[in-house]
Amino acid sequence: MNRPIYTVTWVRGWDVHDTLKRLGVVDVVTLTWEDLYLRDSGTNGHSDLVVVAAAGDWVVALQVGGWWFAFDGDLNEVTRDGGEAVSVMRHDRSHGHFAHSVDGRSRTHFLVREPGTRWGSSPDALGDLIYADDHPDPDAAALALAAGVTGVPFTTGLFAEPLTGGRLTRGRLR
């Protein structure tokens, strides 16, 4: 079964437009779900589109077919100067990642299927929230962990059309 590739990133410290700027979006546009799926299929699963939605103190960013904010360097840049972010990347052909960054530093990071092996400046900071290595659905467990950290569950209701987002600039792409 082919499951989707995506990255969901929760960002706290900035509004929607500042978050998009930190993510590397220069021109903010209105998008539809069809736009996201067409771009994902048109780039062979390497989409450079990101959409965002406000959720309380957090802005939730979604990359359908993308994985750029699951890595410490990118996530640390997003949180530089006082921000916080949690990112979950799901991928069939690579390792999924869970990352938590605060004020430009990787706090806790691990592979979604190996949460017992963590790194960062405070790898045990999430303590009892971390799920077991043998969890039957580590992708769902990583999303639940992110919801536990942020207080914002990832639900279909977060992203309603019209979607606010844009294309990531080349300098931000892997």
Side-chain angles (χ1 to χ4, degrees):
M1 179 171 122
N2 205 6
R3 296 175 59 194
I5 296 169
Y6 61 79
T7 301
V8 182
T9 305
W10 291 254
V11 179
R12 180 165 58 181
W14 297 277
D15 66 16
V16 166
H17 286 84
D18 287 338
T19 296
L20 282 167
K21 183 178 178 182
R22 284 180 173 270
L23 293 173
V25 172
V26 175
D27 297 316
V28 177
V29 296
T30 299
L31 298 162
T32 65
W33 282 105
E34 183 177 4
D35 295 330
L36 296 180
Y37 293 127
L38 286 173
R39 185 69 182 164
D40 182 41
S41 65
T43 59
N44 196 26
H46 297 267
S47 179
D48 56 356
L49 293 180
V50 62
V51 294
V52 294
D57 291 342
W58 295 85
V59 173
V60 183
L62 172 65
Q63 252 192 307
V64 174
W67 57 88
W68 291 286
F69 301 105
F71 302 100
D72 291 336
D74 293 327
L75 201 59
N76 291 345
E77 183 62 24
V78 170
T79 65
R80 182 181 38 81
D81 300 325
E84 179 177 9
V86 176
S87 190
V88 175
M89 184 262 283
R90 198 219 152 268
H91 201 300
D92 271 345
R93 298 179 305 274
S94 181
H95 295 287
H97 288 256
F98 178 96
H100 181 211
S101 180
V102 178
D103 199 17
R105 294 189 64 204
S106 174
R107 187 164 186 220
T108 305
H109 194 136
F110 58 86
L111 300 178
V112 168
R113 297 188 188 290
E114 300 173 25
T117 305
R118 299 182 290 278
W119 60 92
S121 65
S122 191
D124 296 325
L126 301 179
D128 293 338
L129 294 175
I130 302 285
Y131 53 94
D133 278 357
D134 62 351
H135 193 284
D137 189 348
D139 297 319
L143 289 170
L145 174 58
V149 172
T150 64
V152 178
F154 181 66
T155 63
T156 56
L158 275 175
F159 293 94
E161 289 187 10
L163 303 167
T164 300
R167 185 166 289 168
L168 300 168
T169 58
R170 279 286 175 216
R172 300 288 302 166
L173 298 178
R174 291 196 175 280

